[in-house]
Amino acid sequence: MTILVIGATGTIGSAICDSLESEHDVIRVARTSGDIRVDIESPESIRDMYEEAGSFDAVASAAGNAAFNPLDELSEDDFGLSIQSKLMGQVNLVRYGLPYLDNPRQGSFTLVSGILSQHPMPGSAAISMVNAGIEGFIRAAALDTPDGVRVNAVSPPWVSETLEEMGEDPSDGVPAAVVAKAYADSITGSASGEVLDPRDYA
Amino acid sequence: MTILVIGATGTIGSAICDSLESEHDVIRVARTSGDIRVDIESPESIRDMYEEAGSFDAVASAAGNAAFNPLDELSEDDFGLSIQSKLMGQVNLVRYGLPYLDNPRQGSFTLVSGILSQHPMPGSAAISMVNAGIEGFIRAAALDTPDGVRVNAVSPPWVSETLEEMGEDPSDGVPAAVVAKAYADSITGSASGEVLDPRDYA
């Protein structure tokens, strides 16, 4: 399969590429490097990316920013960025990507939400909002896609590599390679409209 | 308590007012009528509403529009409206309302999500997205509010009165008066960060 990995240079995106590239044709997409560049905040940039990629079989997204700040410090811009990037950026990956699927019957889109959707922490109001929004979107979008195209989300818990960078105990998280297993299952399995929890793949 | 009911003229909003007004001071707020008018799509209109209302103890929202359309017919404007109205409109009711709470220790905000958040149907991609977003937001916002201010959502299933208007069997839904019980429990109970299901109050 030809698989577009969006956010391919990040911790999770790199692990997705590593896990898929032995068996599939992986196209690495990121904001400032990679085989193709995209700014998912821009619908036009997404359309350009798909034009450049041509046809493909699956999109795996580990992209999107959202603002972490206490509720009384979250600004209009914080909410706006979170919506435009992680929420609508990923929604638009599905909306604009559907016509480019090479073989819809095995086609899929896998977006990223995150554990804060269901298990928030102080400061996560905007992130929890957009993560939950992604989960609501994929559940419904999966009912509307043509020809059996599947749409899922992976909801990563804290990632070991990220915890390590933060000086925290990596064993409190799940390695990025395990998160990548959830993406691989979404791409090669039969799930649709589901939120996949990487902890089920440990 | 003084309770602002936003969307007071709708099916659910009217039922909330009816159920609360014998014991509380209810201020009816709606877009084109009521004691105070508000367009929740406009942050400025929300601020004006709170200025006009002065202090209060609770906000109960049954307001917000979202677009129902198959995924491939949902436009930028459909997503934009859904986000600006039902999602950020209600989020902004909390953000801008917090400073006006008369007595934060008994203060609360109750927003509306909807069953399509967790149980989608074809055409509900935008609605399911914003409903789920509301649920993610209230779970997290409840951890950030000062002085014990509570934040919940009520997730109504199909409402009997709405089904009847649509020519469907009202017994497939829950009467608006039952939905209002969930709001009353959110306002007078101790729940915070919770999504209340009116079917638990039937």
Side-chain angles (χ1 to χ4, degrees):
Chain A
M1 285 197 278
T2 299
I3 301 169
L4 291 181
V5 177
I6 322 290
T9 55
T11 306
I12 292 174
S14 305
I16 298 170
C17 294
D18 290 348
S19 81
L20 294 172
E21 64 190 356
S22 64
E23 295 186 38
H24 303 285
D25 184 10
V26 171
I27 300 178
R28 291 168 190 254
V29 184
R31 187 193 288 257
T32 55
S33 63
D35 304 318
I36 303 179
R37 301 194 182 180
V38 71
D39 171 8
I40 65 167
E41 292 176 43
S42 159
E44 197 174 352
S45 177
I46 292 175
R47 286 199 197 94
D48 289 346
M49 170 194 74
Y50 282 129
E51 277 299 318
E52 193 174 341
S55 67
F56 58 87
D57 299 291
V59 169
S61 168
N65 293 320
F68 189 88
N69 247 334
L71 183 59
D72 61 357
E73 293 175 25
L74 280 168
S75 66
E76 298 298 319
D77 284 350
D78 285 335
F79 278 100
L81 163 81
S82 307
I83 288 170
Q84 204 177 342
S85 178
K86 189 160 188 184
L87 183 57
M88 285 308 299
Q90 292 197 97
V91 164
N92 287 338
L93 288 175
V94 178
R95 294 174 64 215
Y96 301 139
L98 278 167
Y100 292 89
L101 282 176
D102 205 23
N103 179 356
R105 281 180 208 291
Q106 66 175 14
S108 68
F109 293 85
T110 308
L111 308 184
V112 65
S113 63
I115 192 171
L116 295 170
S117 165
Q118 306 297 326
H119 303 283
M121 59 191 289
S124 78
I127 299 179
S128 295
M129 179 186 84
V130 297
N131 284 359
I134 286 292
E135 296 176 3
F137 172 77
I138 63 95
R139 278 192 290 267
L143 304 178
D144 271 347
T145 46
D147 303 320
V149 174
R150 296 175 304 99
V151 190
N152 296 303
V154 171
S155 177
W158 287 98
V159 174
S160 300
E161 289 87 340
T162 307
L163 288 173
E164 197 156 21
E165 278 169 28
M166 295 163 66
E168 307 280 344
D169 182 356
S171 69
D172 288 343
V174 167
V178 173
V179 178
K181 288 186 190 177
Y183 278 87
D185 187 34
S186 172
I187 293 165
T188 61
S190 59
S192 191
E194 290 188 22
V195 179
L196 305 178
D197 185 335
R199 290 170 296 191
D200 296 336
Y201 298 83
Chain B
M1 287 197 276
T2 299
I3 302 169
L4 290 180
V5 178
I6 322 289
T9 55
T11 305
I12 292 174
S14 305
I16 298 170
C17 294
D18 290 348
S19 81
L20 294 172
E21 64 189 357
S22 63
E23 294 185 38
H24 302 284
D25 183 10
V26 171
I27 300 177
R28 291 167 191 256
V29 184
R31 187 192 288 256
T32 55
S33 62
D35 303 318
I36 303 178
R37 302 197 181 176
V38 73
D39 172 7
I40 66 167
E41 291 176 45
S42 159
E44 196 174 352
S45 177
I46 292 175
R47 288 198 197 93
D48 289 346
M49 171 194 74
Y50 282 130
E51 277 298 318
E52 193 175 340
S55 67
F56 58 88
D57 299 290
V59 169
S61 169
N65 293 320
F68 189 88
N69 247 333
L71 183 60
D72 62 358
E73 293 175 26
L74 280 168
S75 65
E76 299 298 319
D77 284 350
D78 285 335
F79 278 100
L81 164 81
S82 307
I83 287 170
Q84 203 176 340
S85 178
K86 190 161 187 183
L87 184 56
M88 286 308 299
Q90 291 198 96
V91 165
N92 286 338
L93 288 175
V94 178
R95 296 174 65 216
Y96 301 140
L98 279 167
Y100 292 90
L101 282 177
D102 206 22
N103 179 357
R105 281 182 206 291
Q106 66 173 13
S108 67
F109 293 84
T110 308
L111 307 184
V112 65
S113 64
I115 191 168
L116 294 170
S117 164
Q118 305 298 327
H119 303 282
M121 59 191 289
S124 78
I127 299 180
S128 294
M129 179 185 85
V130 297
N131 284 359
I134 285 292
E135 296 176 3
F137 172 77
I138 64 94
R139 279 191 289 268
L143 305 178
D144 272 347
T145 46
D147 302 321
V149 174
R150 296 176 303 101
V151 189
N152 295 301
V154 170
S155 178
W158 287 99
V159 173
S160 300
E161 288 87 340
T162 307
L163 288 172
E164 197 156 22
E165 279 168 28
M166 295 163 67
E168 307 281 342
D169 183 355
S171 69
D172 289 342
V174 167
V178 173
V179 178
K181 287 185 190 177
Y183 278 86
D185 187 33
S186 172
I187 294 166
T188 61
S190 59
S192 191
E194 290 187 24
V195 179
L196 305 177
D197 185 336
R199 290 171 297 192
D200 295 335
Y201 297 83

